[in-house]
Amino acid sequence: MTKHAVKVSIVGTGLVGSTIAYTLTVKGTASDIVLIDVDKKRAEGEAMDIEHGSPFFPESTIHAGSYDDARGSDVVVVTAGTNQRQGETRMDLINRNASIVTDVANNLKKVCPGAIIVMVSNPLDVMTRVMQDVTGFPAERVIGTGTNLDSARFRYLLSQKFGVDARNIHGYILGEHGDSEFAAWSNVHIAGMNINEASDNFGGIMGDYDYIDIENAARNAAYEIINRKKATYYGIAASASRIVEAIVRNEKSIFPLSVKLDGQYGLKDVYLSLPTIIGENGVERILTPYLSEQEENKLHHSAEVLEQAYEGLKK
Ligand code: NAD
């Protein structure tokens, strides 16, 4: 994809969508960015604000537009929908956002039949499934940011504990992007050492409570941020823009993304996060690393929560 101009459209240009647009512009990931929102003035204002930094960024164009302007997009990022208010869970948004995502999907299937869709709207896993249902696009081309952000938070927290660069810590939060997500401790590695060996190497740094505290802090981070500043957008913009970058540069990078399962760990059709290789065609392969029995049970619990929420939408 990097051989030709890269076009990215963003549907929903509130706090999250506009911050993703800004991040993509600063990094020079796309040559053309289209901003679409029911609030057209908002989209226009965001485009103007971002393009005024153009003398300081890699060359690209950004403008507000309609769905027609999204034709030919390589990637469409969808952030349309309401966000959590204080005290709300992501699942509380389900009915409000399902009708918005259905509307967006009906438009996108007409104008961008070949695009890869990256979903951000919450509750993320169910909204990604609705997008795939309504567009009828192949599941490889409809993915959700999933637990990529939660895993980044997890790695950051471990990096603080160990006093090591977060980029040298590998580990995933898997399952639902929401309250049933879990830390896959079996897969955490630091310099090739598993978490127990790494802890021993660092003088037994991980006490029993640290495992619980770090997992809870990663899971509850959004609530903590929303309590303080009403919304989260920088972390998700870093996560989503990195995913877009890996797609348009055909990197075959691995991220924990919300993908449609097809038999992995005995699960089918539900969207949830597993480590996934992505490139110019979207999902290249969904990976199934070893999980302990307890972790596999947690994955199945997430799948049940998500299946129930999805079935509830049809009633
Ligand atoms: P926001 O209210 O600031 O922006 C939402 C935008 O969507 C608004 O500009 C609104 O006009 C637009 N919109 C509503 N209906 C639309 C439609 N039918 N077509 C086009 N645009 C429409 O909210 P936000 O803080 O930007 O959050 C957006 C979504 O992202 C929320 O659902 C939030 O929960 C989610 N989110 C996800 C993650 C993640 O990790 N996946 C992280 C943060 C936020």
Side-chain angles (χ1 to χ4, degrees):
M1 242 184 233
T2 37
K3 291 192 196 90
H4 64 81
V6 172
K7 180 168 177 175
V8 176
S9 294
I10 301 178
V11 185
T13 59
L15 293 168
V16 173
S18 59
T19 314
I20 293 171
Y22 178 71
T23 311
L24 289 171
T25 305
V26 172
K27 290 170 127 191
T29 306
S31 33
D32 189 19
I33 300 176
V34 180
L35 302 183
I36 301 167
D37 199 294
V38 281
D39 182 350
K40 285 195 178 120
K41 281 201 163 24
R42 171 82 188 252
E44 280 168 14
E46 297 294 356
M48 288 163 75
D49 198 3
I50 294 170
E51 73 189 348
H52 293 165
S54 58
F56 314 113
F57 302 143
E59 198 185 331
S60 68
T61 57
I62 180 164
H63 50 99
S66 64
Y67 280 101
D68 263 336
D69 297 297
R71 281 182 201 281
S73 296
D74 298 293
V75 180
V76 180
V77 182
V78 177
T79 81
T82 44
N83 56 14
Q84 289 162 265
R85 294 170 202 141
Q86 215 169 330
E88 276 186 322
T89 69
R90 294 176 179 98
M91 275 301 184
D92 291 334
L93 308 173
I94 191 163
N95 290 317
R96 267 180 274 162
N97 285 354
S99 55
I100 291 175
V101 168
T102 300
D103 169 53
V104 174
N106 276 320
N107 281 293
L108 291 180
K109 78 175 174 191
K110 286 184 220 143
V111 294
C112 299
I116 294 172
I117 313 279
V118 177
M119 289 297 298
V120 181
S121 312
N122 275 319
L124 186 276
D125 305 281
V126 184
M127 293 305 105
T128 309
R129 191 165 174 181
V130 169
M131 176 59 72
Q132 202 255 328
D133 276 355
V134 178
T135 56
F137 289 1
E140 295 73 35
R141 289 202 281 112
V142 183
I143 57 187
T145 50
T147 55
N148 195 39
L149 171 58
D150 319 62
S151 300
R153 288 169 171 155
F154 181 56
R155 291 168 66 193
Y156 164 77
L157 291 162
L158 281 168
S159 81
Q160 295 299 294
K161 181 74 188 168
F162 280 82
V164 168
D165 187 337
R167 289 170 298 187
N168 292 121
I169 297 192
H170 297 280
Y172 300 116
I173 300 283
L174 299 178
E176 177 194 2
H177 170 62
D179 295 345
S180 73
E181 68 187 31
F182 65 95
W185 288 106
S186 311
N187 293 301
V188 174
H189 281 102
I190 303 173
M193 295 180 280
N194 68 35
I195 188 70
N196 296 330
E197 193 186 350
S199 177
D200 289 348
N201 243 259
F202 282 72
I205 199 169
M206 289 289 288
D208 286 349
Y209 285 110
D210 289 320
Y211 290 90
I212 298 163
D213 288 349
I214 288 173
E215 180 169 0
N216 284 342
R219 185 189 296 115
N220 296 328
Y223 294 114
E224 293 293 335
I225 297 169
I226 289 165
N227 282 344
R228 288 166 173 81
K229 56 173 274 191
K230 297 192 171 65
T232 75
Y233 37 95
Y234 294 120
I236 182 58
S239 162
S241 64
R242 182 68 194 93
I243 292 164
V244 172
E245 189 176 59
I247 293 169
V248 302
R249 296 189 182 157
N250 196 20
E251 287 181 14
K252 322 280 186 196
S253 297
I254 300 171
F255 303 104
L257 299 176
S258 187
V259 285
K260 189 174 192 174
L261 300 196
D262 187 20
Q264 292 84 357
Y265 302 97
L267 297 166
K268 206 165 160 50
D269 293 336
V270 67
Y271 263 87
L272 53 68
S273 285
L274 287 177
T276 301
I277 305 174
I278 52 166
E280 64 185 350
N281 302 313
V283 174
E284 301 269 340
R285 183 185 284 266
I286 301 169
L287 302 174
T288 53
Y290 165 80
L291 296 176
S292 68
E293 196 183 332
Q294 203 187 18
E295 289 163 357
E296 221 173 296
N297 289 340
K298 288 178 181 172
L299 188 76
H300 279 260
H301 173 60
S302 260
E304 271 164 37
V305 168
L306 291 167
E307 194 63 51
Q308 270 177 25
Y310 175 76
E311 289 302 324
L313 267 182
K314 295 185 192 158
K315 286 177 191 151

